[in-house]
Structures are given as structure tokens and as C-alpha cells.
Amino acid sequence: MQISFTAPTRSAGDVTQGAWVVSAAEGTALLPAAVRADRASGGALTRALKVSSFKGKAGEFLEVLAPAGLKVSRILLVGLGKADGLDEMGLETLGGKIVARLQTAGESVATWELEVPNGAPVKPAQLATHLALGARLAGYVFDKYRTRDLDDYRKSLKTVRVAAPDPAVAKKAFAGLSALADGVFLARDLVNEPPNVLHPAEFARRARTALSKVGVKVEVLGEAEMKRQGFGALLGVGQGSARESQLVVMQWNGAPKAKKANPVAFVGKGVCFDSGGLSIKVGAGMQGMKGDMAGAAAVTGTMLALAARKAKVNAVGVIGLVENMPGGDAIRPDDVLTSLSGQTIEVLNTDAEGRLVLADALTYTQRRFSPRAVIDLATLTGAIIQTLGFEHAGLFSNDDKLADRLAEAGRHTGERVWRLPLDPFYDKMLKSKIADMKNIGGPNSGAITAAQFLKRFIEKDTHWAHLDIAGVAWQDGERRPTIPSWATGWGVRILDRLVGEHYET
Ligand code: BES
Ligand code: MN
Ligand code: ZN
């Protein structure tokens, strides 16, 4: 979908094709562009309003097809709802809803001329750019594996022109948001991709291709190198698979050279398929486990977004890529692994594999980069879904300030998080009969014991947060207009926002 910005129309004749999208405040008061459309069509909107139940609620539509006196295919009147609901997120949702509506109507071109009603918490310039971001996010499709009935799935809308008070200013502001959408799309693509295609080496190759283009330094460590360095926990998970495990290290150095700031680090769980290993999952529990690399995808997408918008920050992304399979060489329940940190782990359930991958990735990241903060993302536990469902990711942190900042970034981006406790009481549940720890807690508080396990690999003084994204990385039920695919791309937006607010110079 092509999105551009255009000056507001002065007369109805300025819009010569496609849909003309105009707005009404709640209570049906037509805003100026809608008034122009109404006049030019001989009062078509006013007449339509009289015979409809349209109330101007947020996302409500009134459509007049083939209006007499105009060249456009339709006038689409959009309700803006209450002015105070028109914040950035509200606008994105609205932009997404308009796209969904025009898609199902088979429209290919649209001119959007929505206006800010009095009392809205956004400026006219933001109105255009955040509507446009919503439009872009809603236009995402993943249809590369379809070969039949493509018209049923491809999106018809090709061109959206959004009116802005100063189109040049809007274009510039949108560049950063568009980079963000690129990052979200990369994450969605990686998560949607099937596991026979996106095995660890293929994930690493795609990360390298996408990120090298925007100036991110990408290194890939294979099994031989990781073995040499002692990644016993990560390699243990991968050893039952025919596919080689990989560690990808991505560095973006965007901070001014004078400031030799330590980087902020993002660490992702990248289990390209989680069968459970020898502690094998039941059939239904295995479906969707191609998405068990969503943490790694979010980290990769974030690195793309930061680099593409030239964020003034030093950031590193480290992702552990493995496939958890029950091959003849697979780790057994009862095996003991020696992690990169030197700590030993008794593996009692091979399906608790994500924490093993993250343990080594976390150690590597801290020892190599001495980061200002480490944030890891992982589809780590089914227990977090029991706890928080699909609305919030679980947040665990050893740093109240970092936790508050993440919560705030989540509220502004729609990627909401909810903090859960860490406590020595839970840590005790990880005691092993023969090794430094076991890889499972007990039957209860599974998301917390998983976080406690990770905490054992956090070095003194490291500011750390863990996001358990098992409930939010993909969706099987109803979809939001701006998240139209199975994979949500969750994580890119909250991390990009955190960086923008707190780590950029
Ligand atoms: N990848 C799963 C967690 C998961 C489950 C993500 C459902 C998304 C949806 C993880 O590796 C796992 O299997 N966790 C186990 C841990 C248990 C064995 C301690 C779980 O949650 O059941
Ligand atoms: Mn598992
Ligand atoms: Zn897993």
C-alpha cells in the first residue's frame, strides 16, 4: 500500500477518483471537509444522515456511493467519537478500521480528509501521521503460500492519500513511524513463516539480509563456535534437531561518537519449533509452536526499526536460535548441562527449553557488552496465559524504574504489560538434588519460577527486565484492525518507544 500526504482539498473538484473519506464528530456534526463533500453532492450526506442511525461514534461509517455531482466513487463519512479518545492509539485504530472497510468494499484509491474536533489531545499534524501508521499496520498481508483464490485474500487498497496541514512536515514525521512499521512487519513475517522454511540458519540469514541493508552489524555464531565458548545450555536444547543452532548478534551504533554509551541490550528466545523434545507435547499443544521464536523476531524487528529511523542510541540484539526436537541425540529428562555461566542445570523437562536458550544468551550479552540494561523477550510459559490471558505480557524486573518505564511505554503503544513478583521464595523451588538448579519449579506459579530461573543468569548490577510474551505474540481469536495477521509483531513497538523515551541522546 502506498501512503502519501496531500494538502487539504479546497474544493470538491480536487478529489477526482476513488473514495473521499471525511469525518464527523460525535453527535454527527460534519467537520469542514465533510461539509464541502455534502455541498458538492447537493446535500447527499445530510439526506443519508437523516435515514441512518449514524451517531458519529468512533469507527462508525456512513457511505454514499456514486454521489451525483462528484467524480469520486464514494463518500465515506467516518465517526470520530468523543474528542478525548482521539489520542495516538485511537487514531491508529481508526486508520486501521478505515482500511478494513475500504478493503472489503474493493476500493483501490482513497483520499482521507479527517479533521481534529475541538478538545482532542492531538495536533492536526499527528492526526495525519498516526492515521497513516494505522493504515500501514492494517495493510499487512502474509499470503506468500497461497496459490488459489488470491483475490479473496489480497488487499484491494493500493493508494491512500492523507490530507495534512503541511504535507512535507507530515512526510518527514511519518518516515520514523514507517520505519517502526517495517520492524513490526519483519517480526510478523518471521513468526508467520512455517518451521520447515524458517529453521535457525534461515532465520539468521534473513536477519543478516534485512539488517545489513540499514547499517546494523550482524554476526552469526554456529555450533562449533558456541561449543568452543561453552554454550552448554543452548546447545543442549538444539542437539535433538537435524538443524544447526545459531546465535545472532546485532549491533546498531547510532549514538553520537563523543558519547561512549554502553548499549541497551535486547535478548530473544528463538525456538524455531518447540515440539517439547523428549518431554513431547500433545498434538494440539504443538500447533502454533512455529511461533516460539517470537521473542527473537521482536528483537530483530526492533533492531530494524531503530536502524531504519536512525535512532541516536547504541543497541544490541542477541537471539538464540534452536529447534527443540526429540531426535536420537536429544537431551533427556535427568541430563545435567553446564551453562556458559558455569552453573549446572538438571533438565527434568525438556519442554522447559526456552529458559535454557536464554540463560546462555543472557550470559553472553552481559559479559561481552556490559549493557546499561537488558530486556529479554520470550514465549516462555503457558502459565503466563493462565495468569494474564491475551491482553498483557508478563513483566518481571529487578529494577522498579525500568519496570515503570516499560509499563508506560506499553500504555502508549497498545503493547501492554503487567508486572509479577520475583522473590527468593519462588527461587527456592528451583533447587536440584544433584546440580545447581533444575529447569522446572513446581506445578504452580510457572511463569514466576521461569523468571526466577532467568534471574540466576543475571549478573550483579545488571538492570534487567523479562517479558513473557506467550499470550500476546500471536492470536487465534478476534483481530484488531491494526493487527490483521496471526503473528502480532508484539514487542517492536514497546521497545522502540522505550528507547525513544529513555535511551536516545
Ligand atoms: N514455548 C512454550 C510456552 C508456550 C506455551 C508458549 C503455549 C505459547 C503457548 C514453552 O517452551 C513451554 O513448553 N513451557 C512449558 C514449561 C513447563 C514444562 C515447565 C509450559 O508452559 O508448559
Ligand atoms: Mn517448550
Ligand atoms: Zn518453548
Side-chain angles (χ1 to χ4, degrees):
M1 191 192 301
Q2 279 298 115
I3 298 176
S4 58
F5 296 94
T6 172
T9 59
R10 259 161 294 155
S11 72
D14 291 354
V15 191
T16 55
Q17 58 166 327
W20 188 7
V21 183
V22 294
S23 57
E26 182 148 305
T28 79
L30 298 182
L31 291 163
V35 172
R36 287 200 292 282
D38 188 41
R39 289 208 186 114
S41 61
L45 272 181
T46 321
R47 283 196 302 280
L49 276 172
K50 278 201 188 111
V51 294
S52 89
S53 59
F54 182 89
K55 295 204 170 52
K57 292 215 166 76
E60 209 185 340
F61 293 110
L62 179 70
E63 191 174 44
V64 176
L65 288 167
L70 288 174
K71 291 190 183 132
V72 302
S73 64
R74 75 195 72 213
I75 302 169
L76 183 64
L77 181 69
V78 182
L80 299 178
K82 295 209 169 58
D84 59 7
L86 282 175
D87 54 7
E88 293 181 355
M89 290 306 299
L91 287 167
E92 288 166 28
T93 304
L94 197 60
K97 281 188 182 160
I98 298 169
V99 164
R101 171 71 185 230
L102 293 172
Q103 304 285 19
T104 48
E107 188 63 82
S108 66
V109 181
T111 304
W112 294 14
E113 203 165 4
L114 285 73
E115 284 140 322
V116 186
N118 291 332
V122 287
K123 299 190 187 74
Q126 278 173 300
L127 175 95
T129 52
H130 284 273
L131 282 171
L133 175 59
R136 256 213 87 189
L137 292 170
Y140 176 83
V141 247
F142 188 81
D143 63 356
K144 64 192 280 198
Y145 295 106
R146 295 191 195 279
T147 70
R148 300 285 189 279
D149 305 323
L150 290 175
D151 291 347
D152 295 351
Y153 300 101
R154 291 244 158 105
K155 305 219 166 169
S156 64
L157 194 60
K158 298 284 181 279
T159 310
V160 176
R161 296 191 196 96
V162 185
D166 186 338
V169 168
K171 188 179 170 191
K172 228 175 140 201
F174 185 62
L177 296 176
S178 199
L180 174 63
D182 289 341
V184 173
F185 286 9
L186 175 60
R188 288 179 185 172
D189 280 348
L190 290 166
V191 175
N192 278 323
E193 200 65 64
N196 57 328
V197 175
L198 197 85
H199 49 80
E202 175 62 14
F203 189 135
R205 197 186 62 74
R206 289 196 194 189
R208 193 196 284 284
T209 308
L211 294 175
S212 307
K213 279 187 206 144
V214 289
V216 174
K217 186 175 154 206
V218 181
E219 296 161 70
V220 180
L221 278 60
E223 287 186 354
E225 179 58 23
M226 283 193 275
K227 194 166 176 195
R228 202 183 62 73
Q229 295 194 32
F231 284 69
L234 186 154
L235 289 173
V237 176
Q239 77 190 35
S241 164
R243 306 292 196 175
E244 185 172 340
S245 302
Q246 313 266 283
L247 188 88
V248 182
V249 182
M250 305 165 260
Q251 290 177 258
W252 167 249
N253 291 315
K257 288 281 176 299
K259 296 215 169 188
K260 274 187 91 187
N262 290 4
V264 55
F266 307 118
V267 175
K269 168 180 173 181
V271 177
C272 293
F273 187 73
D274 182 11
S275 72
L278 285 176
S279 312
I280 198 160
K281 291 180 184 292
V282 298
M286 226 182 272
Q287 270 177 40
M289 281 303 138
K290 68 171 183 180
D292 209 20
M293 31 55 74
V299 169
T300 310
T302 301
M303 295 305 290
L304 178 70
L306 294 177
R309 70 172 180 77
K310 299 198 165 51
K312 291 187 175 51
V313 69
N314 293 341
V316 303
V318 175
I319 56 177
L321 301 170
V322 300
E323 191 183 41
N324 187 22
M325 297 291 273
D329 214 15
I331 42 166
R332 295 151 285 253
D334 286 352
D335 277 2
V336 173
L337 303 174
T338 302
S339 67
L340 182 61
S341 73
Q343 299 178 89
T344 56
I345 305 160
E346 185 184 16
V347 176
L348 291 182
N349 188 323
T350 64
D351 199 10
E353 84 298 340
R355 61 198 75 182
L356 301 173
V357 173
L358 286 173
D360 283 351
L362 286 166
T363 300
Y364 179 85
T365 305
Q366 293 167 94
R367 295 200 176 159
R368 176 162 173 199
F369 296 106
S370 307
R372 296 161 72 178
V374 179
I375 296 142
D376 77 71
L377 292 89
T379 48
L380 202 61
T381 66
I384 201 66
I385 308 177
Q386 302 286 317
T387 310
L388 296 174
F390 307 109
E391 283 307 312
H392 291 85
L395 162 66
F396 300 84
S397 183
N398 61 5
D399 178 338
D400 293 344
K401 196 158 135 192
L402 178 59
D404 289 346
R405 287 172 168 184
L406 277 163
E408 175 75 7
R411 281 191 288 273
H412 276 98
T413 55
E415 294 184 345
R416 294 185 297 162
V417 300
W418 200 262
R419 193 174 182 187
L420 292 166
L422 291 163
D423 189 285
F425 173 83
Y426 299 106
D427 180 75
K428 276 197 286 206
M429 295 160 81
L430 295 168
K431 279 192 176 157
S432 156
K433 291 197 181 77
I434 63 165
D436 296 338
M437 70 194 87
K438 53 183 173 138
N439 77 329
I440 48 172
N444 302 316
S445 55
I448 306 178
T449 48
Q452 292 290 164
F453 181 95
L454 299 180
K455 187 165 182 289
R456 287 181 174 230
F457 297 87
I458 298 304
E459 296 178 358
K460 201 167 110 341
D461 304 330
T462 301
H463 301 275
W464 163 70
H466 156 58
L467 296 170
D468 192 337
I469 63 170
V472 294
W474 60 80
Q475 50 183 358
D476 286 311
E478 202 196 324
R479 291 173 183 182
R480 282 162 227 221
T482 51
I483 313 177
S485 90
W486 182 76
T488 59
W490 201 102
V492 177
R493 301 199 59 179
I494 187 174
L495 294 182
D496 174 79
R497 172 97 189 182
L498 180 80
V499 168
E501 294 286 307
H502 302 291
Y503 294 103
E504 281 191 66
T505 45

